[in-house]
Amino acid sequence: MTGPDRIDVVTAEIIRNGMTSAALEMARTLRLTAYNPLLFESQDFGLGIVSPEGEMWGEAPGVAAFIGCLGDTIRTGVAGLGLDAFGEGDVFIVNDPYLSGTHISDTTIYRPVFHAGRLVAFSSATAHWADIGGKEPGGWCRDSTSIYQEGICFTHLKLVSGGERNAELFKLIAANVRFPGLVMGDLEAKLAATRQGALRVQALCEKYGADVVAASMAFVIERTDAAVRRKIAEIPDGEYGAAMCLDSDGVVENDPVRLAVNLRVDGDRMTASFEGTSPARTGPVNLNPIVAGSAVRIALKALTMPTDPTNAGHFRALDFDLTPGTALTAERPAPCDSYGYSVVTVVELCVRALAEAVPDWCPAGGSQLTGIVLSRSDPRDGMPFIFSDPVDCGTGGRPGGDGEVLNVMGNGDVPTTPVEIIETRYPVRIERFEYAPYVAGAGRHRGGAGVRRDYRILENGLNLNVMVENTVDVMGRGTHGGRPGKPARVVVRPGTDREVVVTRHNSAHRLWPGDSFTAVTSGGGGLGDPFDRDPAAVLRDVREELLSAEDAEFLYGVRVRQESGAWRVDEKSTEALRAGGAR
């Protein structure tokens, strides 16, 4: 091969995997150098290599919604600044949600990658900052009514110019966040990660030439697009829709927010719209078109090519028909800091809509985000800190098996923070961390269990912010006769005369030494009639303490007995129970 017109499959695959490896090295660099466990443990980041045209070339596991926004972030930067604005040694910063997608806490650092004076790509890293200086410590404002309340906003500003740092901008950041050591440490980690990505892309260009690298990725993207279109063509032509309501927008209570997704399949292309969605809301659950589109892309890729390393070809067959001004197509300055609930809902609604057309592809209902934020900002109470704990949940029963545990569909690869990390860094003791199987929906394939964490406060002056949603219109819907999963709940000071049961996300609590709280995340919905579940599977759940003997009989019509310390199925009684249809 001597030029881009003679791209062979082997070279294209080597370069494709080189881009993925570059992104994985970026992720490893970030995790090894980040200060915040939210990054080095929970992987609340999205990293990738993007072409100058804004096409994804390679990405690393992290928050799926971030990945779908990286290309659009580069596009808004190029559109606003022009390609001539990017020089060697430059680094840019952006977190304006209406330019980069998610919310103001998710700050993107990106640098142009040059080879022999030619702009080849961008190395980009988005990650949640420990604080962004808004009205709420740690971001994720519960009740903001304008983006201006949510924190300091960067609009594709030059952080580094020709290798020289913009010292004034670095000082501005440090002076406007509550935890400057943590934030500036993570900023350095992102600078290191994007530098690593740039070096890896430059190495590919040195070996193969920039023309061959770009042409190979164009070839890969075209082949990926063709593969996705073949999968879409398997879906019967038609229009498919689903809707769900959030409990509230965080400001106006008892006023559910209706989110709707409509998918039209026409041959090998799909068009998404949000017709039927509530108008943009007063509170911060709104999405802008960038991140709403990313949520649809998550669902499309998950259902068509879930194990394929992501590139722009996975999304070319997806079009959008959007009406501005809804809660999913909000316009500046609508607040959006609690955007995550809506992102997960849109992903879920896409799956629910397509379950009508391709049920064998789609699981039952999954889980909404559950999160805990503990902070202390006043140094008079002790050392200031911020601890964000996104606790994973259960997913819906799948056509080929039970739902997963410790996951949130649409949230990507975001593990729960280990107990050891929490207890060695923060004045908190975790007194219990276990499965919560009782929240899982029963079914032929049962939903995934939630988890339970019990927290004990050890020092003065802590503030608790709770993230729960969809407690009324439960996300974990059962399908094909399966039962729904139960929603998340948090109980503050359980068993005392000051007990508070938290079921709404706009909830903050002052805590003191000795106080405790319990968080139970939601369970996935069941798929199929529970009475069709294999009795051997029910017996296994009883043996593994995921199901009580009483629930095995009540929910599944399977009677189990314990004899000589071992559980077994009472086949005659089970047959009679199921024949009678007892529930």
Side-chain angles (χ1 to χ4, degrees), residues 346-368:
V346 171
V347 176
E348 183 69 34
L349 290 176
C350 290
V351 177
R352 296 278 61 75
L354 290 177
E356 177 186 345
V358 281
D360 291 343
W361 296 12
C362 301
S367 289
Q368 182 56 275

Side-chain angles (χ1 to χ4, degrees), residues 537-556:
V538 176
L539 178 63
R540 183 183 66 243
D541 287 346
V542 173
R543 285 173 172 167
E544 295 179 356
E545 299 182 356
L546 296 175
L547 192 67
S548 68
E550 293 75 18
D551 281 344
E553 182 171 329
F554 175 71
L555 295 174
Y556 293 96

Side-chain angles (χ1 to χ4, degrees), residues 387-456:
F387 165 50
S388 298
D389 194 16
V391 188
D392 285 332
C393 316
T395 62
R398 298 166 294 160
D402 296 335
E404 300 287 354
V405 183
L406 296 175
N407 204 333
V408 176
M409 188 173 70
N411 211 27
D413 296 276
V414 183
T416 295
T417 311
V419 170
E420 295 81 0
I421 294 294
I422 299 171
E423 294 187 339
T424 56
R425 288 175 171 264
Y426 308 110
V428 180
R429 183 167 63 242
I430 305 299
E431 298 186 331
R432 179 180 297 190
F433 182 34
E434 64 187 21
Y435 284 157
Y438 43 87
V439 301
R444 178 168 57 88
H445 299 303
R446 60 167 172 74
V451 298
R452 172 178 173 172
R453 276 221 218 240
D454 290 0
Y455 305 73
R456 178 76 61 180

Side-chain angles (χ1 to χ4, degrees), residues 558-578:
V558 176
R559 182 166 291 163
V560 297
R561 300 185 186 280
Q562 195 171 30
E563 297 178 356
S564 302
W567 289 102
R568 69 173 184 83
V569 175
D570 184 331
E571 295 181 359
K572 288 186 177 180
S573 296
T574 295
E575 184 177 346
L577 284 169
R578 289 190 162 185

Side-chain angles (χ1 to χ4, degrees), residues 29 79 96 189 220 295 313 408 420 472 545:
T29 300
D96 185 328
V220 166
V408 176
E420 295 81 0
V472 178
E545 299 182 356

